[in-house]
Amino acid sequence: MGRASRGRAPAAGLVLVAILLAPVQAEIKSGTEFLSPELQRQQADEARNPAFFWVEQGRELFSRKPTPDAQACITCHAEPQQSLRGTATRYPQVDAASGRLLNLEGRIEQCRVERQGQPPFGYETPELLSLTAYVASLSRGLPLDVRTDGPAKPFYEAGKTLFERRQGQLNLSCTQCHDGLVGQKLRGDTISQGVGTAFPAYRLEWNDVGSLHRRLRACSLGVRATQFDYGAPEYLALELYLAARAKGLPVETPGIRR
Ligand code: HEC
Ligand code: HEC
């Protein structure tokens, strides 16, 4: 919880004071802790969390050959429960061959194109969301542990800069809300520390599962700032910074959000 108590609407003056104060780095908590107890229970219950449907679809796709002469994911990644357990905790990461920053979606697309010889699924397709949710779910409960040194450093720095930069017509930075106003109410949400540990997640507002980049686009729109494309370098860098902020927090995919 932030410095203001949760669930109570603050006076406008208080909000202003909170914005003006330099944000202090508090202990980082999962967005789940800012949900209602009922949504928390629903998220934890596989039978009532709709996002598990996507995980199930992902599990099926993982075993299916895309074409008769192409290999299924599982042909190369046998026993994914073991072989891919923990993978999601290390993404985004820099791809050694290309020097690009890849998130889990990017890595899956790379296998799809380079190792299965298929056209990419594309961001926010049901296939890529399902496979990403499935692969991430194999790391449920394991602590995030991305690298921010070596080749990852410039990406991390870019993400941090973006997180702290004021943007949009409302001239607000991510940090002003996700550090400075944590615990305050905004349009029915309780502002969290803005980490991505539950994504891809089922959002009630979307009536659908969406990627972390879709959530970031919603925040960009909220402050009337440029919405970058899905998979854009800006959101990838932000994703790395968010994962570094959340270091040690468990992967919770697939989550439920308002
Ligand atoms: C005007 C305040 C505001 C700003 C500025 C803002 N957000 Fe958000 N953000 C929210 C609200 C409200 C939510 C939904 C409740 C929550 O989880 O915090 C949210 C949700 C999120 C989430 C999902 C957290 C979860 O666990 O579901 C992430 C990640 C996030 N924001 C990142 C960012 C980033 C990165 C930026 C800067 C590009 C940003 N936000 C800018 C208000 C803001
Ligand atoms: C022909 C074999 C092959 C197929 C088919 C294949 N992969 Fe891969 N995959 C690999 C190899 C090899 C690596 C390691 C790449 C590297 O480390 O540079 C890898 C890496 C990965 C990683 C990252 C693992 C890590 O620890 O960082 C994920 C996730 C992944 N693949 C998912 C998939 C998915 C999902 C599919 C199906 C859409 C798929 N792969 C199809 C061979 C394959």
Side-chain angles (χ1 to χ4, degrees):
M1 217 175 292
R3 63 169 78 93
S5 66
R6 182 154 23 136
R8 214 189 311 141
L14 263 184
V15 173
L16 197 65
V17 169
I19 286 184
L20 293 174
L21 286 173
V24 280
Q25 185 78 10
E27 183 204 341
I28 301 291
K29 292 177 180 160
S30 158
T32 301
E33 296 202 29
F34 299 83
L35 299 176
S36 69
E38 168 50 23
L39 272 186
Q40 292 186 17
R41 280 193 294 275
Q42 201 182 337
Q43 173 171 292
D45 182 351
E46 285 201 26
R48 290 203 302 140
N49 177 345
F52 274 100
F53 177 74
W54 276 257
V55 171
E56 225 14 79
Q57 298 285 302
R59 192 196 318 276
E60 278 174 29
L61 264 181
F62 199 85
S63 305
R64 202 183 301 155
K65 286 183 173 198
T67 57
D69 48 353
Q71 284 176 307
C73 314
I74 203 161
T75 310
C76 299
H77 301 285
E79 304 209 42
Q81 265 84 352
Q82 280 90 53
S83 62
L84 291 178
R85 180 149 174 81
T87 293
T89 65
R90 297 187 295 271
Y91 280 79
Q93 67 175 227
V94 177
D95 179 41
S98 66
R100 288 191 306 141
L101 186 65
L102 289 183
N103 59 3
L104 206 49
E105 284 90 340
R107 181 64 90 192
I108 291 170
E109 287 282 51
Q110 189 183 52
C111 275
R112 166 96 178 155
V113 173
E114 292 176 10
R115 301 186 202 273
Q116 289 187 308
Q118 302 299 310
F121 292 118
Y123 240 93
E124 299 311 287
T125 54
E127 290 84 1
L128 188 57
L129 284 169
S130 302
L131 280 169
T132 307
Y134 169 62
V135 171
S137 78
L138 298 173
S139 297
R140 256 157 80 87
L142 296 181
L144 282 200
D145 191 21
V146 289
R147 293 197 59 170
T148 55
D149 57 348
K153 194 151 191 274
F155 296 105
Y156 170 82
E157 296 294 345
K160 185 174 193 297
T161 302
L162 277 167
F163 195 80
E164 292 166 357
R165 193 180 72 196
R166 287 165 176 270
Q167 44 196 306
Q169 280 173 27
L170 300 188
N171 203 27
L172 282 171
S173 62
C174 315
T175 187
Q176 281 174 299
C177 282
H178 290 298
D179 287 313
L181 294 175
V182 174
Q184 310 276 2
K185 286 280 185 189
L186 185 67
R187 284 185 232 100
D189 282 320
T190 307
I191 300 179
S192 72
Q193 283 155 316
V195 295
T197 50
F199 284 82
Y202 185 91
R203 236 188 121 196
L204 303 178
E205 188 179 314
W206 297 332
N207 217 345
D208 197 1
V209 162
S211 66
L212 179 64
H213 289 197
R214 187 170 176 192
R215 171 68 251 190
L216 297 184
R217 284 171 59 88
C219 280
S220 297
L221 184 69
V223 295
R224 312 277 180 277
T226 309
Q227 284 182 299
F228 299 105
D229 283 341
Y230 291 101
E234 289 84 356
Y235 284 151
L236 285 170
L238 268 173
E239 183 175 352
L240 177 62
Y241 180 68
L242 299 183
R245 252 166 80 87
K247 196 181 173 87
L249 282 185
V251 174
E252 294 184 288
T253 311
I256 298 187
R257 292 296 184 262
R258 284 190 70 242

